[in-house]
Amino acid sequence: MKIAVCVKEVPDAGASRRHDPAADHRLVRDGDPALNPFDAHAIEAALQHAEGADGVTVTAVCMGPASAQRSVQKALALGADDAVLISDDALAGSDVLGTARVLAAAIERGGYDLVLMGQQSADGECWVLPGVVAALLGWPVLTQAASLSIEDGSVRIDRQAEAGYEKVGASLPAIVSVSDAINEPRYPSLKAIMGAKRKPLEQLDLAALDLPAGSVGQDGARSIVRSVGDPPPQPGGTVIEDDGSAADRIVEFLRERNLV
Amino acid sequence: MGSLLVYVESSEGQFTTGSLGVAAKAAALAGELSTSVTAVVVGPGASERAATLGSHGVGRVLAVDGARGDEPSATEVADAVVAAVRAESPLLVMANASVLGAEVAGLVAGRLGLGIATDAVDASISDGSVIVTKPAFDDSVWVECGWAGEGETAGVALFRAGSFSADPVNGATAEVVGIEPEGSERHVEFLGRAESTDEGVDITQADVLVGAGRGLGGPDQFGVVESLAQALGGAVATTRAVVDAGWYDYSTQVGQTGKTVAPKLYIAAGISGAIQHKIGMQSSGTIVAINKDANAPIFEYADFGVVGDLFEVLPKLEQAIRESS
């Protein structure tokens, strides 16, 4: 059985992000990019299945600039057997549909039985990519798995939806996104980090995926950002550091509002 | 001019509040554009209750009765929405961002090659086209999204739950038309729902809630929030992470999946305040937050925030409250 885990490189979550009116409202991101933390849960879910069954391989599939190799290495260090990185200048400016077209083509080329994703990217936060990729492949999609079982050529998940916990399932091949509550991702050992450098990493460009020009990147984008601005002002609250007196300060605040 | 097409979701035999809100917003936009709203409904008994959507501003409903399981799956709904788009050539497809709604939106965009804008909180008209507004990067910037490309249908817009009021606007009835979409070859199966086990406190009725997040650290650490809640005459609320980890009962969960609460006072302990939680408690009268992480989003909308260790702060707070009352 071949499992693919889609991974993305995202800006460091702790770093400041702001838009720059002087630079055409582009987003300015500080800090080093890193593996999308939600994807680590998908890798962990794949590894846990691979460790409990025979003949299961786990491949990390990433679309991103050449610099995303760092995050792909992280996926390999966590335990993926090999990786595919799709990089091409023509991919810059891809929207959700364009990104899905690239991932669907890479998944078709790799012949996987199951594709796992994180529930969202920490930067795009779109949540819908699994559905778009599934539609392009004609596969079923199950999202936000809080638990996952794979047997007899099918996958079943439990998940939280608006009306409570529900069970949904589908036959393989299928796309599944996992919630960040499904597991605690492992930390790679130093040995695994060193070993990751010797694992196969295939680099592909658009030509290798046989995607028509204009279907991806800026030219293929069907949803566009018209403008970026400041959020509406919110009444700012008070934030203090606890120096031992925080409890008293809270009580004082609650008393002012007649809440105690 | 094409209509605005809204997927109105059914759950346990009722239309969901979030998707009725999107229908109401669509009706307001349709008024400005001099067009109409068409809804797609799927599920057991959907066509019987569909006429009532007229009171939410829907002119016409395309209905698919029944489902393979007790509830329709994402593939069944996507089949219906795709059939509706092909029949109606709407200007835009709109849906509420529930778990199912997000799957449906993705499937429809992929199958029809449409652009998709997610996490929208508002929509407006610009040059005869509907554009949407969405917060990004933990709500630190506000982005306006539009559409590119050929074709009558601009794209799919998915709205953050609770963005719009779902109150009926009048007593009109909608025209209901049954449709039989071509089914997908590969389906998702709805296999059932876990029975709720807890008949405990109804947190939506409490004046004071002490919210406990992942910062509690484990299921045996809840004494500190339980006794503070007791001192305040309130109840304990939790986050999805806490419930999914099995630390506390689902009936206490606040957020997009979970309950929506609006107590006079909400004390968030060890809760980062991600948008899924915020949706469920942002209408609280006063929000106090205690979190170790100074960058936690909760501090952006708390009325009073403490960067500190909840295990230090909460016991002292409880003591001070017991002494003052």
Side-chain angles (χ1 to χ4, degrees):
Chain A
M1 178 179 187
K2 291 176 74 175
I3 301 178
V5 182
C6 295
V7 299
K8 184 182 183 187
E9 184 162 86
V10 299
D12 178 7
S16 70
R17 296 169 294 200
R18 60 191 191 279
H19 74 100
D20 184 358
D24 199 21
H25 288 287
R26 272 188 304 242
L27 283 162
V28 181
R29 302 163 178 182
D30 299 329
D32 289 330
L35 176 69
N36 175 32
F38 295 99
D39 297 342
H41 296 276
I43 295 170
E44 181 64 36
L47 295 176
Q48 286 183 10
H49 180 67
E51 285 160 1
D54 289 331
V56 178
T57 60
V58 177
T59 303
V61 176
C62 179
M63 167 183 141
S67 59
Q69 196 167 332
R70 188 170 21 187
S71 293
V72 173
Q73 291 290 349
K74 171 83 186 288
L76 291 169
L78 285 167
D81 298 294
D82 57 4
V84 178
L85 173 60
I86 306 116
S87 281
D88 201 307
D89 290 344
L91 290 173
S94 291
D95 64 354
V96 175
L97 182 64
T99 305
R101 282 178 171 145
V102 170
L103 292 175
I107 289 162
E108 209 151 41
R109 180 178 181 274
Y112 305 103
D113 304 292
L114 175 66
V115 174
L116 297 181
M117 299 189 187
Q119 65 179 20
Q120 70 192 99
S121 66
D123 59 345
E125 299 172 84
C126 86
W127 300 74
V128 295
L129 189 66
V132 187
V133 175
L136 294 171
L137 292 166
W139 293 7
V141 61
L142 311 172
T143 62
Q144 298 193 42
S147 73
L148 168 70
S149 70
I150 303 158
E151 50 190 80
D152 302 330
S154 68
V155 55
R156 297 170 68 138
I157 68 165
D158 290 300
R159 68 168 172 205
Q160 242 190 51
E162 286 71 11
Y165 278 93
E166 63 186 33
K167 292 179 188 296
V168 285
S171 60
L172 296 177
I175 309 259
V176 177
S177 82
V178 304
S179 102
D180 55 344
I182 192 173
N183 54 38
E184 281 297 325
R186 64 194 68 187
Y187 288 96
S189 66
L190 188 60
K191 195 177 155 213
I193 293 168
M194 300 311 290
K197 295 182 176 136
R198 290 189 297 276
K199 288 181 174 175
L201 195 172
E202 187 179 18
Q203 307 226 26
L204 300 178
D205 58 12
L206 269 190
L209 292 179
D210 213 11
L211 280 168
S215 68
V216 296
Q218 194 89 54
D219 292 345
R222 305 250 357 227
S223 59
I224 52 170
V225 172
R226 291 166 52 106
S227 67
V228 179
D230 289 319
Q234 285 187 345
T238 310
V239 179
I240 61 163
E241 293 250 5
D242 183 24
D243 58 1
S245 69
D248 293 333
R249 298 276 304 274
I250 293 172
V251 172
E252 201 179 305
F253 172 80
L254 295 179
R255 202 168 278 141
E256 280 167 23
R257 294 198 170 197
N258 292 320
L259 288 163
V260 287
Chain B
M1 179 182 283
S3 61
L4 296 175
L5 188 73
V6 179
Y7 165 49
V8 177
E9 184 176 347
S10 294
S11 175
E12 299 182 313
Q14 291 191 322
F15 295 127
T16 66
T17 312
S19 62
L20 290 175
V22 174
K25 180 66 192 182
L29 294 167
E32 277 187 66
L33 287 166
S34 303
T35 183
S36 58
V37 177
T38 300
V40 177
V41 300
V42 186
S47 67
E48 283 164 36
R49 56 182 180 274
T52 63
L53 292 176
S55 66
H56 295 272
V58 174
R60 202 157 162 263
V61 186
L62 305 178
V64 180
D65 269 315
R68 293 155 65 95
D70 295 336
E71 298 278 353
S73 72
T75 32
E76 290 171 295
V77 177
D79 290 340
V81 176
V82 166
V85 172
R86 288 189 173 135
E88 294 256 318
S89 299
L91 291 175
L92 188 71
V93 180
M94 299 166 69
N96 176 55
S98 63
V99 172
L100 184 69
E103 289 179 347
V104 169
L107 288 169
V108 170
R111 281 171 62 181
L112 297 172
L114 296 173
I116 183 164
T118 61
D119 206 25
V121 295
D122 205 0
S124 57
I125 312 288
S126 173
D127 300 331
S129 142
V130 179
I131 58 170
V132 303
T133 310
K134 62 176 279 182
F137 295 118
D138 294 328
D139 298 3
S140 64
V141 296
W142 223 241
V143 179
E144 251 186 17
C145 293
W147 316 96
E150 306 293 314
E152 189 142 354
T153 303
V156 181
L158 195 58
F159 292 88
R160 191 181 275 187
S163 294
F164 310 112
S165 164
D167 295 336
V169 288
N170 56 39
T173 53
E175 176 198 356
V176 182
V177 182
I179 58 168
E180 287 181 27
E182 197 178 325
S184 290
E185 279 177 35
R186 307 266 333 272
H187 267 283
V188 171
E189 304 285 347
F190 181 88
L191 301 169
R193 193 162 275 149
E195 294 295 320
S196 177
T197 50
D198 193 272
E199 298 297 326
V201 187
D202 182 359
I203 58 166
T204 63
Q205 302 300 317
D207 280 340
V208 179
L209 287 173
V210 181
R214 211 184 320 225
L216 266 288
D220 46 2
Q221 307 279 351
F222 279 68
V224 66
V225 287
E226 285 165 353
S227 58
L228 176 61
Q230 194 186 32
L232 287 160
V236 172
T238 59
T239 64
R240 193 194 73 168
V242 160
V243 172
D244 264 349
W247 296 355
Y248 228 73
D249 192 82
Y250 174 68
S251 64
T252 61
Q253 183 183 317
V254 167
Q256 181 171 7
T257 59
K259 295 199 168 75
T260 301
V261 296
K264 288 180 188 151
L265 172 62
Y266 190 97
I267 300 181
I271 292 176
S272 69
I275 185 61
Q276 289 72 28
H277 190 70
K278 182 182 177 184
I279 286 169
M281 48 67 83
Q282 61 191 349
S283 304
S284 302
T286 295
I287 298 171
V288 173
I290 301 112
N291 201 298
K292 270 187 188 169
D293 177 8
N295 293 319
I298 189 99
F299 290 126
E300 286 163 24
Y301 54 93
D303 299 290
F304 193 89
V306 174
V307 181
D309 181 353
L310 70 96
F311 294 105
E312 297 273 332
V313 177
L314 294 193
K316 285 189 205 165
L317 180 59
E318 182 195 337
Q319 195 188 353
I321 284 164
R322 285 191 194 278
E323 281 167 8
S324 75
S325 59

